[in-house]
Amino acid sequence: DRDLRAELAALAASKGPDALFKLLRAEDPESCERIDVRNVRRVIRAIEVTRATGRPFSAWQRKDGSEHDARIVGLQIERAELYRRIDARVDAMIAAGFVEEVKRLNAQGYGCDAPAMSGIGYRQICEYLRGPCTLDDAVARAKTETHRLARMQATWFRAADPRIRWLDALAPDLLDRAIAVATA
């Protein structure tokens, strides 16, 4: 709801993030325990979801038991090989016209300040297009940020998690093994 989003952003700008947070506390106190008052974008999103669905944002985030019989498969790869592949993928994106894609998006009205443009790669190319860094610097930072994300994912999805069946990403029979896990 763009109108609601604009109204809430205006409230935060005029009266500060605390006024917005007070609104969230009245509608969904449980979300206030997990959302930082200074994260205005997230507070606005929580209010939007609550009002649009009639269900508190916090209720959407609960990890209730699933009605589905799901299997979780994780792929393992040596970190050096993962970084090599990340670097090659970033280089391939640049070669395939990623810079031109970002320029086109900017020309279509999706400025570098848009939330979607804050993702890894887009943010660094925007810096390059604005001029404070070279393309080589932007590419190096995109690679470094993606490496950092990969390290964070390794901590989120622990190897010791008993729900996850870990498979070697480079195994020649990977697909057969994944199918076997999924159908077991």
Side-chain angles (χ1 to χ4, degrees):
D1 182 341
R2 292 174 194 245
D3 291 337
L4 174 60
R5 185 175 301 158
E7 176 188 325
L8 295 171
L11 174 66
S14 66
K15 297 194 177 178
D18 288 329
L20 192 63
F21 203 69
K22 185 177 177 183
L23 231 139
L24 178 61
R25 187 172 306 284
E27 295 185 27
D28 183 9
E30 189 177 330
S31 282
C32 293
E33 301 299 320
R34 291 194 297 259
I35 299 176
D36 185 346
V37 65
R38 295 166 300 187
N39 191 338
V40 171
R41 185 187 307 171
R42 189 128 190 263
V43 173
I44 289 173
R45 185 71 181 137
I47 294 169
E48 282 182 304
V49 169
T50 299
R51 290 187 182 176
T53 65
R55 184 175 170 205
F57 185 64
S58 56
W60 290 103
Q61 297 181 320
R62 285 192 192 103
K63 294 184 178 180
D64 298 331
S66 174
E67 62 188 64
H68 304 287
D69 182 20
R71 306 286 192 280
I72 303 173
V73 175
L75 300 178
Q76 292 179 315
I77 190 168
E78 290 295 323
R79 187 164 287 176
E81 176 62 13
L82 176 61
Y83 286 179
R84 186 192 69 72
R85 287 175 177 227
I86 288 169
D87 294 350
R89 177 69 181 130
V90 171
D91 290 338
M93 289 169 57
I94 296 298
F98 188 54
V99 174
E100 290 74 21
E101 175 185 332
V102 175
K103 286 179 184 176
R104 257 191 323 279
L105 289 168
N106 285 173
Q108 292 173 356
Y110 300 99
C112 288
D113 57 341
M117 299 296 270
S118 66
I120 298 173
Y122 289 96
R123 183 175 54 245
Q124 289 77 21
I125 296 303
C126 280
E127 289 173 9
Y128 160 66
L129 293 175
R130 288 181 184 149
C133 69
T134 67
L135 179 58
D136 287 342
D137 289 339
V139 168
R141 280 202 293 267
K143 290 175 181 180
T144 299
E145 285 300 306
T146 308
H147 295 176
R148 188 178 67 78
L149 176 61
R151 284 192 307 275
M152 288 171 50
Q153 288 173 336
T155 62
W156 296 335
F157 302 105
R158 295 275 181 197
D161 187 331
R163 299 169 303 154
I164 303 174
R165 175 67 193 271
W166 292 98
L167 303 177
D168 179 359
L170 301 179
D173 62 343
L174 175 62
L175 183 57
D176 293 335
R177 293 176 63 212
I179 290 169
V181 169
T183 59

